[in-house]
Structures are given as C-alpha cells and as structure tokens.
Amino acid sequence: MRNFFPLLLFILAFACNPPQQDQPATDLASHVDPMIGTDFFGHTYPGATVPYAMVQLSPDNDTDGWTYSSGYSYKNTTIRGFSHTHFSGVGYNACGDVLMMPTIADQLQVVPGTASDPDSGYRSRFDHSEETATPGYYSVKLKDYNIRAELTATKRVGLQRYTFPKAQKANIVVDLAHSIGGTEESDISTITIVNDSTLTGEKTGKGIKVFFVAKFSRAFDYYGTFDSGYATPESGASVFPYKSQEQGRSVGAFVVYSTKANEQILVKTGISYTSVEGAINNLKAELDHWDFEKVKNDARRAWNDELARLTVKTPDNKKKTIFYTAMYHSILAQQISQDVDGQYFGMDGKIHKKTDGDFFPSFSCWDTYRSEHPLKTLVDQKKTSEMVQSIVAKTKAYGWLPAQHFRNEARQSMVGDHLIPIVVDAYMKGIRDFDAESIYEAMKTKALQLPAPPVPMAASRSGLMDYIKLGYAPYDKVTESVPNTVELAYNDWCIAQLAKALGKEEDYELFTQRALNYRNLFDAETQFMRPRKADGSWLPIIGNNEQRIVEAGDHSYYQYFDPLLVGRRPSRHYTESNAWQYLWSVQHDPAGLIDLLGGKDKFAKRLDTFFTMSPNITPPKYVGVVGTIGQYVHGNQPSHHVAYLYNYAGKPWKTQQRVRQVMEQMYRTGQGGICGNEDMGSLSSWYVLSAMGFYPVTPGQSQYTIGSPLMEEATLQLPEGKTFRVIAENNTTDAVYIQSARLNGEPLERSWIDHSEIMAGGVLQFVMGTTPNKEWASQDNAIPFSMSK
C-alpha cells in the first residue's frame, strides 16, 4: 500500500505535464490534403515546401502543355524527377528548376524519356498507393528502381532522402535542361562539380537565372557531366566521366554510388536568384545538419502556425479538409525571392537588398486581387505590408508600374492594371507602412500617359489613348475591348480612392469621372456590355449564325456580337469569358449597374437567368468555362463576385442560397476537388472568405458583403491578442438562410460588415434557417457600398 501513492503521484504528474511532442496538440496540418487540385487542371503541386518559401520541392511528371503548368498531373503515372521551384495553380508554364532523379542502371541515362515509353530515359513509373503528401513532406516509391524518394524543405533549401536497394550503380542525375514549358535558345546553364560531395550551378530558364549549391551526405564513387543536346552516334546524349564543369542549354551532372540494401543518401540544395554565393549562404544559414526528421517536423510546425491564424469548428471532417487545404493553397500562392542576407534580383536587372521582411517577386494580380490579397489583409497584415512594399520597390526599380508578372519579368499578360487594387485595398484597410505617394504617382502616370524607353510600349495600358479620348476601348483597335474598358474603369475608381485619401482632390474628381466609363459600353438594346468601334457604332448583332472573322493579324476578331461567345481566342472581345459573364464586372458600382438594367427587380431577374440558363457557350469551346451554374463560371475569376450581387438589389436571401450552392457544389475532397485552375490561390481564397460568411466584392474599400457562413464557428486571430469570431447557430446543409444577425450582441440589419469592425475584435453571430427571411437586410439602408449609391 505504501508503494501506491508514489505511483499515483507519478501518474498525476505525467497527466498534468505530458512529454513534449514534435507536433502541437492541435495539428491543423493533418486536415490538409496537398493532392487536392492535382487532377483535371487545378494545377497545384503536391510537393514539400514551407509558408512563403523560395523552394517548392515537388515531383514533375512532365513539362509540356498547359496540363503541366505545375509540373504534376494526377493522371500521369511516371515521374521525371524532383525539381526545386513551382507555381501553384497557374496557366503559365515556368519553373521546374534544378531537377534531380535517383536511378539504378548499369547504362546511365541522362534524358528523361517519355511517359509512353519510360524505359527510354531516366523517368520511373510509380503508383499513387505508394505516394504520400502532407504539408512540408512528400514521399513516393519509384517502381522502376525500387527507390523510396522523400522530400522536405526549409524556406530556401530543399532536402531529399533517397533509400536505395543494394546496387552496384546507384545514380543521381542532376538535369538543368529540365524546365516546365521548355527553354529558349538563349538559356545557357552551367554546372560545376566542386568536390566529391558538392555541386554548384546556374540554371537559366526563360531568361530567369536560378543559382544553386547541392551537398550530398556521402562522397561520390564516380561522377561526371553530360550534354543531352550534344549527341554522338554511339551513345546519343554525350556523357563525360570525371569532367568537373559543363555549360550549355541541355547540361547536367551525374553521381554514382555502390549502395547497400536500404542505404539512405541525402541531398540538400540551397537556391538563390542572386548568385552561387547567395545559395551557399542560404544553405549554411538554414540547414547545417542532415537530420531529415527535424526538417520535416519544423516544416509541419511552420504550417500549423500559419493555419492557426484562422480556425474553424465543424463536425464535418470533409469541410475541415477542404477549408484548411484552401488556407494552405492561399499561402502557397506567394513566394519570396530574397536571400537570408536580404539580397534580391530586381526588375531593373540589378541586385537590391531588403533590410526588413520578405520580398515577393510574382503577382498574378488579375486573379489574386479579388480574393487572395483581401484574405491576406485579414489573416496576416505584416505579409500584406511586405507584398505592397515589394510592389513599390519593383515600381521604383523598373521606372513604371508593372501589371501581372512572374519572377520579376515585366509582363502585361492579362487585361487591366490590378496591382492598383492590391495596393489601394491595403491602404484603405489601414496597412500604410509603405511609400504611398510614390506608388500613387506611378499609378497616375500609367493611367494618363504611355511609357518612355527603356520601358517597352507593351507595358502600357492597352488602348489607353482611345480610352482617354472616347471613354472606352474600341474593338476595332483594341483586343478584349470590353474588359479593357470595364476593368480599367474599376482601376481608375481605385486610384480615385487613394487620391482622396492623400488629399489630391482634382485627381479624385478626374478618376471618379473615369470610373463611370463602364457606362459607355452598356447597350440598352441588348442589355450587355457590348463592343463599340472608334466611330461609336456597336459591334453588329449576329445574324444567320454567321461568325465571320475580320483578319487583322494579332487583332483578328469576330465581326458579330454573340453574348455566348467566349474570348480570349478566337473572339477577342472579352477575356476568358463572354458577354453574360462580363456584364457584372462593375464591382465598384453595382448600384449604377442596377440602374442601367432597369432597377432592383429587373436586375435580380437578370441574375436569376444568369444562374439558371444553359451553361453551353457558342463554339468553339473554351477550357476555362468550368464550374458552371448556368452561365456562372466559378472556374474563372470574372464570375467570382456575382453571387453576392443580390445583396445590392435588396434580396440577400438569394445571395445566401447561391453562395452556399457554390461552396457545396464546386469544392470537394480528393484530387479533383477544385473546379478549375487554382490561379495562385484565388479559388481557395474565395472559399476561405465565403466559408467565414463574407466576401470583398470591391477591393479598394473597406466593406465585406455577407453571404452564408458554412462553418459552425470561425475564429480569426488578430493583432494585440484580439480575436474575431463568426458563429452560425442551427447551421446545417439545408439551413443556408440567415434568420437574424448580431454583432457584439447588437442586432445587425445590414448585408455588409466593415473591415474596422472585424479588426476591433468581437463576435458576429448568425441564426440560420431552412427558409428565407426576406425581411433581413433587404431595406435600402442595408445595402453595401456602391460608387453611385
């Protein structure tokens, strides 16, 4: 009996002070499935990375065509290797830098071969049943070689662990010819074998240089280089044993080992966009050991910390998986490019240094201004600030405000000028630790004049002079003329908001007037935004099903108006959408659009038609028309705000029904769980915001429009220890309608909430029901912001 009490005390002590675990008690990362979006063309990748990282270490199945924008497609059953850079959810082929592939072969292969004939190269077959993907970790069995490949990463270093069978020739191929989307004639790379366990190099793809250092945990038995573009009659691609350096467009290196059964060889690779020395410093600073499990656990911990910024409660585990994976994807969209010492490669081709925080090189802003960046203003104000500071730094270095671009390339690849709403939205929501005056002047300059050398004319707003002169972009001069009018009108409204905030009244008046330019393309006869010629005449209405094309080189276009014909190609009147979908692209002035369409009731009926009509479009088909509910296309961004527009017509119950329908219908678990191209986090961010119960219809002002909260509870962590909670009582699959709402205990009778109310902390509480409460938030004074209201 005397021994019982010490034992009891020990048990109690153990219960109160359990041993420290590698993972936190709340392992939110366990709800993330990186495989979601890897099928169809979600274009996500399943590999290992950490939040906002420079390294995205992931398997590549192939490199050619839109299907392989991320390097990975679930339908493919072969792997070419593991490369260190990837974009998540883009329709743009790039990255795939510094590929490595372990093999077993007496005859060394240095070309990948094809998916239809894997034996023709170093690629391997694999089975999804032997594949694992979790935040910060990826593993797969390479069936052709009986090799287990495992990947994890720090911010700037990728760590691979290969478990080999017993073999006389266990090889690791480093292929710098590998690039997603291929290389250009001018892309010359260099690889150097420094010693018997270290490689360095400079990989060039589409003009972008990635420098690297790779260290191996065991000294090479043999080594050499190759040039797969230099063929010999005997051996095809040329292999050069014991050669220490190679330069060319299709070069690489190989190392060879004799391995025991289950022997593990690790490779850690640091990358940099500035220099090999930068890569070496990144490697030394972030990974000075070979403890794979530690790096893996640290990566998971980093993901848990990020996911904990916004948490949800629901008994539905599928909803948890969808929500936290969407959060995960929203973070994958943004990548840093500065070294550990702050140095980064700027848009002027020079090396700059950021002394505090992160530098972000890529902005897919046509996609991300709508939801990705507004979500960041809620969950991470510091990162939002750093992104805006990056935009300011880029603009100063380049001498011009860029538009959509990747890895510091100066591109005007999509319509509109959407770095503007990213900056203005942050400023209007109180994130102001950047040079607002200089970026404002850059916005104004770009909106009023064409660039001067060395900035190319292609960096200007398309059709700017006609837009200024006529108040619209004419279709006989400007490609995608309707978006080039309505989206620039919204951009001009954003400039007006910043002008007013900075006390520039004359500019405010000018750009406010230009924000009404969308009206110049509204055609009362067809009730659409219809293309117009420079002489003011409308694009003729289609007759006899003729679709004749006016041949004008790159500016060829259909000479008849068909509201179901989708651009970009071949119609070229709209951007990846048709007249039905672009009718609603007046985010800054829904009230003005309501007036044009004949009032709230007619507006709501037109929305009803939009959601209930046939989803078919006029041939030819367009790959981006996916995730359809009628002509609503959730798989592409111009439709994303449309379900929320019923609120502006005083019919919020219709918004509630449609928003909930989109969440339940267009987001699933499993590889095909995203209904279209993820587009750098935009589809996922839409889901996160909408699941909370609100959405920013108009980035650039501070209101969020209320929809239908999906979760029983969502909690947002705020600065200074505050929290904002959204509680939905009686929330079931059928109970999609808001019966009543309270904000901090007080009745809320409006269909919007302000950013300042959220950031102050508190509780937004809804009571849900299965039938609409048509009285709630339906009065004129309950309607969200519009410019002309």
Side-chain angles (χ1 to χ4, degrees):
M1 191 68 175
R2 283 178 296 179
N3 292 330
F4 174 78
F5 289 100
L7 177 62
L8 177 61
L9 290 173
F10 173 81
I11 292 171
L12 290 173
F14 184 91
C16 295
N17 299 283
Q20 293 297 309
Q21 301 295 317
D22 285 333
Q23 304 302 337
T26 304
D27 187 16
L28 299 176
S30 66
H31 299 296
V32 174
D33 180 5
M35 300 305 293
I36 289 178
T38 59
D39 203 0
F40 301 124
F41 45 88
H43 292 175
T44 62
Y45 61 84
T49 187
V50 296
Y52 306 108
M54 188 187 295
V55 162
Q56 307 84 35
L57 182 54
S58 190
D60 290 339
N61 307 128
D62 254 313
T63 61
D64 297 332
W66 197 58
T67 299
Y68 295 100
S69 293
S70 73
Y72 186 95
S73 178
Y74 192 81
K75 67 182 180 182
N76 200 312
T77 56
T78 68
I79 285 177
R80 288 177 62 152
F82 310 98
S83 65
H84 288 74
T85 62
H86 294 85
F87 286 132
S88 176
V90 293
Y92 167 64
N93 285 31
C95 301
D97 299 305
V98 193
L99 177 127
M100 297 185 182
M101 182 63 171
T103 69
I104 302 291
D106 290 335
Q107 182 65 41
L108 181 69
Q109 302 231 50
V110 295
V111 294
T114 63
S116 59
D117 183 14
D119 297 328
S120 63
Y122 57 65
R123 78 166 70 217
S124 172
R125 299 163 183 85
F126 77 104
D127 194 297
H128 290 300
S129 65
E130 297 181 297
E131 182 182 36
T132 300
T134 61
Y137 175 74
Y138 175 86
S139 173
V140 68
K141 186 74 168 289
L142 301 174
K143 294 176 68 174
D144 290 6
Y145 308 120
N146 193 28
I147 296 171
R148 168 66 62 182
E150 297 174 275
L151 317 178
T152 189
T154 68
K155 274 196 171 184
R156 299 169 179 87
V157 182
L159 180 60
Q160 303 181 66
R161 181 167 66 185
Y162 303 138
T163 302
F164 286 94
K166 183 178 180 180
Q168 285 299 310
K169 286 191 176 181
N171 317 296
I172 299 175
V173 176
V174 183
D175 190 352
L176 301 192
H178 176 89
S179 286
I180 296 172
T183 58
E184 300 170 351
E185 288 295 331
S186 58
D187 289 341
I188 302 301
S189 298
T190 303
I191 193 163
T192 302
I193 300 178
V194 177
N195 55 42
D196 64 0
S197 61
T198 306
L199 308 179
T200 61
E202 174 187 318
K203 156 68 189 297
T204 306
K206 294 187 176 180
I208 301 296
K209 295 183 184 296
V210 178
F211 303 89
F212 70 93
V213 57
K215 288 187 173 292
F216 295 72
S217 61
R218 179 185 146 185
F220 317 140
D221 292 350
Y222 311 103
Y223 66 85
T225 64
F226 63 84
D227 187 340
S228 59
Y230 178 65
T232 62
E234 297 82 12
S235 61
S238 293
V239 174
F240 311 106
Y242 302 107
K243 190 176 180 183
S244 60
Q245 189 174 81
E246 206 68 53
Q247 186 176 70
R249 188 180 172 195
S250 305
V251 301
F254 62 90
V255 301
V256 183
Y257 300 96
S258 173
T259 56
K260 302 174 184 177
N262 297 318
E263 182 172 352
Q264 293 183 334
I265 296 175
L266 285 77
V267 188
K268 52 185 178 182
T269 305
I271 71 168
S272 168
Y273 290 100
T274 65
S275 65
V276 168
E277 291 73 20
I280 292 171
N281 291 336
N282 291 340
L283 179 61
K284 288 180 178 178
E286 292 190 355
L287 192 51
D288 61 354
H289 60 82
W290 293 100
D291 189 340
F292 187 93
E293 295 303 319
K294 181 181 187 310
V295 178
K296 174 184 172 183
N297 290 336
D298 287 347
R300 192 176 186 93
R301 188 175 298 108
W303 278 112
N304 276 315
D305 289 345
E306 287 298 324
L307 296 171
R309 294 175 181 273
L310 176 55
T311 56
V312 295
K313 291 183 180 180
T314 174
D316 189 331
N317 285 327
K318 286 187 177 180
K319 286 182 181 177
K320 285 182 181 177
T321 295
I322 296 168
F323 181 87
Y324 287 112
T325 303
M327 277 282 288
Y328 172 82
H329 282 146
S330 77
I331 296 165
L332 284 190
Q334 302 298 328
Q335 306 168 358
I336 65 169
S337 69
Q338 86 284 358
D339 295 336
V340 290
D341 62 2
Q343 290 195 101
Y344 66 90
F345 189 79
M347 289 190 77
D348 55 358
K350 300 177 182 178
I351 303 300
H352 298 262
K353 188 169 185 176
K354 196 171 193 319
T355 57
D356 179 51
D358 289 329
F359 178 82
F360 293 87
S362 302
F363 289 90
S364 185
C365 50
W366 186 79
D367 311 300
T368 58
Y369 87 84
R370 308 164 197 265
S371 58
E372 161 74 15
H373 289 283
L375 176 61
K376 289 287 182 289
T377 66
L378 286 170
V379 300
D380 197 334
Q381 296 76 40
K382 184 175 184 296
K383 279 291 173 281
T384 297
S385 174
E386 291 170 357
M387 290 173 197
V388 176
Q389 289 173 25
S390 298
I391 293 170
V392 174
K394 286 166 168 290
T395 303
K396 289 181 177 180
Y398 187 45
W400 191 254
L401 179 70
Q404 179 161 310
H405 61 279
F406 300 92
R407 299 206 291 187
N408 277 341
E409 294 174 278
R411 294 169 60 86
Q412 192 83 17
S413 59
M414 294 296 289
V415 69
D417 209 357
H418 295 308
L419 286 185
I420 291 172
I422 293 172
V423 173
V424 175
D425 191 55
Y427 190 91
M428 301 308 290
K429 291 173 180 175
I431 300 170
R432 300 183 176 183
D433 51 347
F434 58 90
D435 188 348
E437 286 285 347
S438 75
I439 197 66
Y440 173 77
E441 289 301 323
M443 294 176 187
K444 177 182 173 181
T445 299
K446 189 176 182 183
L448 295 177
Q449 66 187 56
L450 300 175
V455 178
M457 195 62 64
S460 67
R461 288 184 170 192
S462 179
L464 175 65
M465 293 298 105
D466 287 307
Y467 175 85
I468 292 174
K469 178 183 177 181
L470 303 173
Y472 62 91
Y475 76 82
D476 52 336
K477 293 186 177 183
V478 179
T479 298
E480 300 171 14
S481 62
V482 172
N484 263 303
T485 300
V486 298
E487 294 196 28
L488 290 179
Y490 163 67
N491 295 151
D492 286 343
W493 174 84
C494 290
I495 296 175
Q497 306 318 297
L498 188 54
K500 185 175 184 179
L502 296 176
K504 303 177 187 298
E505 289 300 323
E506 288 187 11
D507 289 354
Y508 170 71
E509 295 295 334
L510 169 65
F511 287 108
T512 296
Q513 187 61 40
R514 280 176 43 162
L516 295 172
N517 279 348
Y518 72 90
R519 296 179 179 178
N520 297 327
L521 287 190
F522 181 78
D523 171 36
E525 179 185 0
T526 62
Q527 298 279 288
F528 286 110
M529 300 294 176
R530 182 175 166 191
R532 297 179 77 173
K533 291 182 76 170
D535 64 10
S537 61
W538 298 105
L539 181 69
I541 296 175
I542 192 169
N544 300 321
N545 292 320
E546 294 180 356
Q547 293 183 5
R548 288 180 295 173
I549 296 176
V550 175
E551 298 292 346
D554 289 341
H555 185 50
S556 300
Y557 57 86
Y558 277 117
Q559 70 176 79
Y560 294 107
F561 173 66
D562 180 348
L564 292 175
L565 184 64
V566 170
R568 308 192 105 169
R569 296 175 177 85
S571 80
R572 294 183 177 271
H573 295 304
Y574 299 88
T575 302
E576 300 184 0
S577 301
N578 60 26
W580 269 104
Q581 289 135 24
Y582 255 104
L583 171 61
W584 318 102
S585 291
V586 190
Q587 296 100 304
H588 60 296
D589 197 15
L593 183 61
I594 287 171
D595 289 342
L596 290 176
L597 288 170
K600 292 179 181 178
D601 288 341
K602 290 184 178 179
F603 179 85
K605 287 180 180 178
R606 194 69 181 277
L607 277 173
D608 290 344
T609 301
F610 180 65
F611 281 103
T612 57
M613 65 190 295
S614 168
N616 291 327
I617 61 173
T618 300
K621 295 179 180 180
Y622 185 76
V623 69
V625 179
V626 290
T628 57
I629 303 174
Q631 282 295 312
Y632 177 87
V633 176
H634 196 67
N636 215 346
Q637 285 65 33
S639 288
H640 277 188
H641 67 289
V642 179
Y644 286 91
L645 293 181
Y646 285 109
N647 281 350
Y648 297 80
K651 303 181 190 303
W653 66 92
K654 288 179 176 282
T655 279
Q656 293 153 29
Q657 186 269 322
R658 288 298 180 193
V659 168
R660 186 69 76 93
Q661 180 185 7
V662 174
M663 285 189 282
E664 297 280 9
Q665 190 169 317
M666 300 300 171
Y667 294 85
R668 308 288 179 92
T669 56
Q671 300 80 30
I674 298 176
C675 70
N677 188 354
E678 162 69 354
D679 276 323
M680 295 286 277
S682 61
L683 265 72
S684 290
S685 298
W686 185 97
Y687 182 87
V688 172
L689 288 159
S690 295
M692 289 179 69
F694 45 79
Y695 183 79
V697 168
T698 316
Q701 58 90 27
S702 59
Q703 290 182 6
Y704 301 86
T705 305
I706 291 173
S708 177
L710 185 64
M711 307 297 179
E712 282 73 4
E713 186 172 326
T715 301
L716 177 65
Q717 301 297 322
L718 299 171
E720 301 175 357
K722 298 176 183 177
T723 62
F724 183 77
R725 284 196 301 156
V726 180
I727 299 172
E729 298 179 5
N730 190 36
N731 199 8
T732 65
T733 301
D734 297 326
V736 305
Y737 299 105
I738 296 172
Q739 306 300 300
S740 64
R742 304 180 77 85
L743 178 61
N744 297 327
E746 298 296 323
L748 183 72
E749 297 292 341
R750 48 182 158 90
S751 59
W752 57 272
I753 184 170
D754 195 77
H755 184 79
S756 62
E757 293 173 313
I758 295 173
M759 298 306 290
V763 179
L764 175 60
Q765 192 166 5
F766 296 103
V767 176
M768 308 301 293
T770 56
T771 57
N773 177 1
K774 297 183 179 181
E775 298 301 316
W776 183 80
S778 61
Q779 305 305 311
D780 287 346
N781 61 0
I783 291 172
F785 166 87
S786 285
M787 183 183 83
S788 62
K789 188 178 76 171

